[in-house]
Amino acid sequence: MGSLSSLNSICFDRGSFVKYQDEIKCSRVKKLCVRASVATSAPQSLQFEELKAQKSEKFRIGVLGASGYTGSEIIRLLANHPSFQITLMTADRKAGQSIGSVFPHLVKQDLPDMVAVKDADFSNVDAVFCCLPHGTTQEIIKGLPSSLKIVDLSADFRLRDVGEYEEWYGQPHKANELQKEAVYGLTEISRPEIQSARLIANPGCYPTSVQLPLIPLIKANLIEVKNIIIDSKSGVSGAGRSAKEANLYTEIAEGIHSYGITRHRHVPEIEQGLSEAAKSKVTVSFTPHLMPMSRGMQSTIYVEMAPGASTEDLYRHLEQFYEKEEFVVLLKKNEIPHTRHVRGSNYCLMNVFPDRIPGRAIIISVIDNLVKGASGQALQNLNLMMGIPENTGLLTVPLFP
């Protein structure tokens, strides 16, 4: 009655993927066998056993600070992740509550109730996403079991110089030894270091949108490291979920809200990354703005090109540098990146344009500040740390309109 066809499946075994072939019967009526990670045409009992085996082999994930925007995005992204299962969620002010009561859009997720950090049991956890505010994260991470893999979404481990951290964040660093261990997790730039790390300092949203286009150009000596001007705009979710007068609807709606002029805390993070690329001190002019939208980020960057370089050179280098990357996309020439085209996704769209001023270029980079600018990049990093394909759980198509 049937013919034999081969179906490539993937078996997950704690960080390693082993391909094997199952022979399945395809009926004469349905001659098309589709390649997939799960054999949908296999007998129901076989499917159940495979799914049960997969579930037992999942990495157990803790989300610290699950009641904030970045925490909820982690949970959303993990909802369809085949290799990660949330076994712990903390939220001190929401302890004892379900995630659905705090975020109704997650009401169908079968997850443990949130607990206070002090009551958290890490014996059933392999890795942690830390989505807590800066300043509180250091001591909490310092007290976690050393066996855990950690991706920290706060700013506490991003600045290598703890003195600089104290200058910009107004308090001394309380985990100097851990700071030495932390790896800055700009995925496309530091992939080898991330793969072998235990603690990742996940980049900030503005620094991600700025460094992805600039670091390759600086390393290639195609732009000058002086007179870099960065004009960045973010959705209000970038300011967090806590109640603040400046973030009220009537304060933000129908206007543009500039803030942190010359003193935004992402400045030293941006300059650290660019200085490392240039192998010399880089100082930038950076001005952020809140826009009347919930999410999305655009950085418009004005640069002076190196002598003899052209916008065509800049474009070609970025094209070559990111040619094989999944999430960083250089658009076709003259196409303008827009935040609405990355909403809800882990993509960064960018492009290069000639300025009217000779010798200068304009670079536009857009991301979703909560995904590529936070939780999506965090998941990309943990995938790498756990030895699984880094795009796992991140192939959501942008939401439009």
Side-chain angles (χ1 to χ4, degrees), residues 59-63 85-89 111-112 121 124-126:
F59 287 110
R60 302 161 298 176
I61 305 299
V63 181
Q85 179 180 11
I86 296 173
T87 56
L88 171 69
M89 297 190 300
L111 296 169
D121 178 8
N124 194 35
V125 176
D126 298 309

Side-chain angles (χ1 to χ4, degrees), residues 56-74:
S56 68
E57 293 298 332
K58 286 186 176 183
F59 287 110
R60 302 161 298 176
I61 305 299
V63 181
L64 310 187
S67 62
Y69 288 140
T70 56
S72 71
E73 278 294 278
I74 290 286

